[in-house]
Amino acid sequence: MTAHYQVRDGVAVITLDNPPVNGLGHATRLGIMAGMTRALDDDSVTAIVIAGAGAAFSGGADIREFGTPMALQEPSLQTVIDTIEASPKPVVAALHSVAMGGGLELALGCHYRVVTKSARIALPEVNLGLLPGAGGTQRLPRAIGLEAALNLIVSGKTTTADAFGHTRLVDHMVEDNVVDAAEKYARNVAHSPGVHPRLRDLEVQHESADAYLGYARMTVAGAAGLPAPLKCVEAVAASLKPFDQGMREEREAFLHLMATPHSRALRHAFLAERAASKIPDVPADTPLRTLAKVAVIGAGTMGGGIAMSFLNAGIPVTLLETKAEALERGVATIRRNYESTAKKGKLSQEQVEARMSLLCATLSYDDIKDADLVIEAVFEDMGVKKAVFRQLDEIMKPGAILASNTSTLDVDAIAAFTKRPQDVVGMHFFSPANVMKLLEVVRGKHTALDVLATVMALAKKIRKIAVVSGVCDGFIGNRMIEQYSRQAGFLLDEGALPEQVDRAIERFGFAMGPFRMIDMAGNDIAWAIRKRRAVEQPSFNYSKTGDLLCEAGRFGQKAGKGWYDYKPGDRMAYPSQQVNDMIVEHSKDLGIERRRISDAEIVERLVYALVNEGALIVEEGIASKASDVDMVYLSGYGFPQWRGGPMRHADEVGLYNVAQSIRRYARGYQGHAWEVAPLLQKLADAGRGFND
Ligand code: 3HC
Ligand code: NAI
């Protein structure tokens, strides 16, 4: 059962019970309707309470049901709410913990609301490319006012209920025991004379609604071309009209948005993020190892950022270095980062001190030997890693998790430096590690299941999005970016210039084009990888323009020149005549007649390079599912959220079309470098998608 029914002392209590968050799927809606019918038919019942079991009142409509016939099957949420609102017996919602989306709309349809102070209130549909579709845009302005409702709906932000104590959203506020309080409240109002209050009967008042709404429309107009925010404004604006008309306009907009590719992609991203934490062969009830003490080795760029990720989550960290000077520099950098956040008003001085007090600095392995988890972030050199892991194997207590933040080295080889490869795992953070959400958890051949489960749970605690990757060169993200950068290079040889490539892919929605990105990361890093690749895989072809650039000392922003020119104190990338001449000259040397390349070709070649490599990665089992590849790109590489990641984007375009395009582009100059991945071809032939 997804909703329970009980009568206590004349009050019927309908309890939503659909874990994890009492999503209002079809079965739950049926359960509420069955409860309402019983309560209305039972003369001994004088009032009704609707509550939620477990950790939520309700997280809203069941997102997993969207796009299936169940979503539209009656009773719809609207029908449920209409039934509640029309009930002659008073209906009281008992809100605790989470009341979001359709869950909040259900409560707004009740006559009264008893709410715990700490309940989290939101209409977050806009984050899924939608708007509240069960009366939220009409009843919330009537409950809390036009401006407050518009802010909540357009931002999708969560607010605790105590902020609404003085509004019609809350009839009675409690600290806890909300169901008891709601029952009591229901008994009190059961015999009140007259009809029970309905939000629909109120009018939305605003002194200068037109001016305010005009301003709101202007503000959301720039929301990256996404349709939902503006539709939210329009629907809230309709709350100034008669209720039923507003409801019709809301419904129309909701159905329209539900069918947009943006919403499909954002819903995919929501579910993909949750799916990433599930590893097929790691049972959900795998016992976790205790993680009370964490150590980080190496206080450089990554070690410092990793330590901050733990400190931010209130987890003590011991930071180890070989030299006092490096240690002092590392600790000072952490403090400076916190101080600068405090200066911006985002952290109080007490918070800065509280975080710093969780940090211990040491030069001695003796101080970390009882840590439960140690993350190595020393130089990217196998010899240095070997020395560190040998040492860790000697001194760390049994059962400690030994993690490496290596970005390019073989985690199995690192594990083999120890006598406990089952305890070794890769934790590939991204720079700056205290800011970037993505964490690739690299699963070695021997990594124990409980190590994986523990690290995934830890990632959630430090607010990272963890995705498991098998061992391969570059793991998921960097292995794919290599193919993307390679296409970018070929495009230069064939006729494009860096600014055109960057502009095209940024218009597609990427945060930054490949050339601006490489300039920021440092061209010398990519150069070093290409040199290594040339030794390991001499037949690997790529555009040599990047090498020519490095030979000219154009290492990127840090050198003041890279693919672009930079001015001191200015991060703006200025197109460089010198680089553009070099590119044209290089095409001539290769005997290539440069041609005009369309933005569409640029986007397809870059994105399909990601898709094709992603398909190989899934096929080889490096990623256990295509949505994991999407999560890596959404959380670590600036892929536009509203396209749902490269694999999801390919599904939207149609895999047949993607395979055809790759084949067509492969006939060009870089032809022999590009073959359609077998999985992509297989799915295309079967008319399926990666995420089906
Ligand atoms: N439908 C279905 N499943 C949902 C859900 C929903 N609305 N909200 C959360 N879940 C599931 C998650 O998929 C996850 O499932 P899993 O355990 O199988 O992986 C589980 O609940 C826990 O979710 P989180 O990991 O996100 O748990 P948190 O405790 O961190 O957060 C939450 C809980 C705040 C409720 C968060 O999940 C959330 O923000 N959910 C989305 C809420 C939302 O967008 N609601 C609007 C839905 S659209 C709607 O209501 C339309 C209506 O207007 C008609
Ligand atoms: P870094 O050079 O900034 O820092 C390395 C630190 O390790 C230095 O402070 C050094 O003194 C210290 N160190 C060296 N040998 C040591 C030893 N034996 N014991 C203790 N400390 C030692 O390097 P960075 O960039 O922080 O990289 C560290 C690791 O993180 C590398 O494996 C790198 O591949 C990986 N990585 C780097 C990313 C980046 O963007 N910089 C991104 C993801 C991973």
Side-chain angles (χ1 to χ4, degrees):
M1 269 302 263
T2 51
H4 301 291
Y5 181 83
Q6 251 189 326
V7 178
R8 291 197 283 262
D9 208 4
V11 174
V13 181
I14 301 170
T15 307
L16 313 182
D17 191 4
N18 181 22
V21 297
N22 298 325
L24 296 164
H26 184 245
T28 311
R29 301 196 300 269
L30 274 178
I32 304 172
M33 287 300 273
M36 284 301 297
T37 306
R38 278 176 78 177
L40 294 175
D41 287 348
D42 184 344
D43 288 342
S44 72
V45 168
T46 56
I48 301 160
V49 165
I50 300 183
F57 170 72
S58 171
D62 191 335
I63 298 167
R64 279 169 288 209
E65 207 174 66
F66 287 167
T68 74
M70 284 310 215
L72 299 174
Q73 197 138 321
E74 288 289 356
S76 66
L77 185 54
Q78 195 50 64
T79 303
V80 174
I81 293 171
D82 287 347
T83 306
I84 290 169
E85 201 171 48
S87 161
K89 299 179 185 180
V91 185
V92 181
L95 306 188
H96 80 290
S97 185
V98 167
M100 294 186 179
L104 181 60
E105 292 174 295
L106 178 74
L108 291 169
C110 294
H111 303 115
Y112 305 96
R113 284 153 294 277
V114 176
V115 184
T116 55
K117 264 189 181 163
S118 58
R120 290 185 285 156
I121 303 287
L123 286 176
E125 285 86 344
V126 71
N127 300 328
L128 302 172
L130 297 171
L131 52 65
T137 62
Q138 305 306 300
R139 290 191 183 89
L140 194 65
R142 287 169 165 83
I144 65 172
L146 186 78
E147 289 194 24
L150 191 124
N151 284 335
L152 215 59
I153 291 168
V154 170
S155 71
K157 280 195 183 133
T158 302
T159 311
T160 48
D162 52 1
F164 303 107
H166 57 287
T167 69
R168 297 291 295 258
L169 180 64
V170 178
D171 292 286
H172 183 50
M173 184 91 83
V174 291
E175 294 286 343
D176 48 24
N177 294 330
V178 73
V179 183
D180 290 347
E183 276 182 50
K184 204 165 150 205
Y185 195 89
R187 269 178 215 109
N188 282 343
V189 293
H191 303 291
S192 338
V195 287
H196 297 289
R198 305 183 309 174
L199 287 171
R200 65 183 286 139
D201 297 330
L202 303 178
E203 263 186 37
V204 178
Q205 313 269 355
H206 194 284
E207 274 181 5
S208 43
D210 282 349
Y212 175 69
L213 289 166
Y215 167 74
R217 284 185 189 100
M218 239 169 52
T219 312
V220 301
L226 293 180
L230 190 56
K231 290 275 182 200
C232 285
V233 175
E234 297 306 349
V236 173
S239 71
L240 293 159
K241 302 178 184 172
F243 183 81
D244 288 327
Q245 188 178 338
M247 286 297 284
R248 276 195 298 278
E249 290 187 23
E250 177 196 89
R251 189 78 207 143
E252 204 177 296
F254 181 76
L255 292 175
H256 166 82
L257 289 174
M258 185 63 96
T260 58
H262 310 86
S263 175
R264 279 197 295 274
L266 289 167
R267 273 141 45 200
H268 166 75
F270 177 87
L271 295 174
E273 182 178 338
R274 273 97 197 144
S277 63
K278 296 179 181 66
I279 312 166
D281 60 335
V282 180
D285 58 357
T286 302
L288 303 184
R289 296 192 189 183
T290 307
L291 287 188
K293 286 193 75 176
V294 174
V296 175
I297 305 185
T301 311
M302 294 307 289
I306 294 169
M308 286 176 77
S309 302
F310 286 96
L311 302 176
N312 295 349
I315 301 172
V317 177
T318 304
L319 192 55
L320 183 144
E321 263 284 348
T322 42
K323 294 198 186 86
E325 198 192 331
L327 189 58
E328 277 161 28
R329 199 173 41 238
V331 172
T333 305
I334 294 177
R335 176 170 279 283
R336 202 175 47 248
N337 284 339
Y338 281 139
E339 298 282 2
S340 113
T341 312
K343 257 196 212 125
K344 290 179 202 146
K346 292 184 188 159
L347 218 54
S348 69
Q349 199 54 40
E350 293 81 67
Q351 284 170 316
V352 173
E353 296 312 327
R355 288 180 195 195
M356 289 307 291
S357 72
L358 295 172
L359 180 67
C360 281
T362 185
L363 297 170
S364 161
Y365 273 84
D366 244 11
D367 293 331
I368 65 162
K369 64 181 186 225
D370 62 344
D372 304 296
L373 164 70
V374 53
I375 302 172
E376 162 279 307
V378 303
F379 298 137
E380 186 75 338
D381 177 287
M382 204 46 132
V384 183
K385 306 274 190 207
K386 181 175 177 177
V388 169
F389 274 81
R390 284 260 157 93
Q391 175 90 334
L392 291 175
D393 197 27
E394 283 289 305
I395 57 122
M396 297 307 291
K397 69 178 181 189
I401 297 175
L402 314 183
S404 172
N405 180 49
T406 180
S407 44
T408 57
L409 301 175
D410 180 344
V411 172
D412 287 325
I414 292 175
F417 298 137
T418 74
K419 292 186 280 306
R420 37 174 136 176
Q422 74 282 0
D423 296 337
V424 177
V425 66
M427 287 179 76
H428 184 214
F429 288 83
F430 286 72
S431 184
N434 53 313
V435 175
M436 293 292 289
K437 296 291 274 179
L438 177 62
L439 171 63
E440 281 181 325
V441 173
V442 186
R443 176 181 191 165
K445 227 185 306 178
H446 301 290
T447 308
L449 298 190
D450 65 340
V451 167
L452 283 174
T454 305
V455 170
M456 296 305 278
L458 172 72
K460 191 159 185 183
K461 245 189 229 164
I462 59 171
R463 303 226 176 89
K464 299 290 175 199
I465 295 177
V467 179
V468 175
S469 168
V471 175
C472 69
D473 198 339
F475 313 129
I476 298 173
N478 285 344
R479 177 171 155 180
M480 287 166 65
I481 209 77
E482 185 171 25
Q483 298 304 327
Y484 167 94
S485 308
R486 207 170 160 211
Q487 282 300 326
F490 289 140
L491 284 162
L492 298 187
D493 292 349
E494 292 170 46
L497 292 174
E499 55 267 33
Q500 188 201 355
V501 175
D502 283 350
R503 197 182 49 234
I505 200 76
E506 285 164 15
R507 281 197 185 138
F508 172 80
F510 262 86
M512 205 182 273
F515 296 106
R516 286 213 294 138
M517 188 182 75
I518 304 172
D519 267 359
M520 206 174 74
N523 283 303
D524 47 333
I525 295 172
W527 195 24
I529 295 173
R530 286 196 299 273
K531 283 182 190 160
R532 180 162 60 86
R533 186 72 73 243
V535 176
E536 291 165 356
Q537 245 179 292
S539 62
F540 186 85
N541 67 339
Y542 63 90
S543 162
K544 301 290 184 294
T545 44
D547 297 352
L548 296 175
L549 200 77
C550 288
E551 282 160 19
R554 301 191 70 108
F555 291 153
Q557 271 189 27
K558 61 186 169 191
K561 54 187 184 173
W563 290 105
Y564 296 93
D565 290 334
Y566 297 91
K567 296 179 184 165
D570 178 0
R571 293 197 159 201
M572 183 85 173
Y574 297 92
S576 159
Q577 195 55 50
Q578 188 194 339
V579 171
N580 292 352
D581 290 346
M582 179 203 82
I583 290 168
V584 171
E585 195 59 31
H586 184 60
S587 303
K588 211 183 281 166
D589 291 347
L590 292 172
I592 294 173
E593 194 176 324
R594 291 176 67 80
R595 64 186 171 90
R596 205 196 140 268
I597 299 179
S598 71
D599 286 2
E601 175 174 344
I602 291 172
V603 168
E604 289 195 345
R605 283 175 58 176
L606 295 189
V607 176
Y608 297 168
L610 294 176
V611 172
N612 206 46
E613 197 64 21
L616 292 172
I617 283 172
V618 173
E619 192 163 21
E620 290 166 23
I622 297 295
S624 65
K625 45 199 177 300
S627 64
D628 282 359
V629 174
D630 284 335
M631 266 341 284
V632 167
Y633 266 74
L634 291 173
S635 60
Y637 289 83
F639 200 94
Q641 294 291 317
W642 51 275
R643 293 192 190 269
M647 312 309 270
R648 159 73 220 166
H649 174 70
D651 286 349
E652 192 69 36
V653 172
L655 298 193
Y656 175 84
N657 297 328
V658 174
Q660 283 296 94
S661 298
I662 292 179
R663 223 171 268 113
R664 178 159 43 89
Y665 294 130
R667 285 185 210 115
Y669 144 70
Q670 41 74 50
H672 55 289
W674 216 2
E675 278 171 26
V676 177
L679 176 66
L680 169 54
Q681 190 60 59
K682 195 171 91 189
L683 291 171
D685 291 344
R688 294 178 49 207
F690 289 117
N691 288 292
D692 287 355

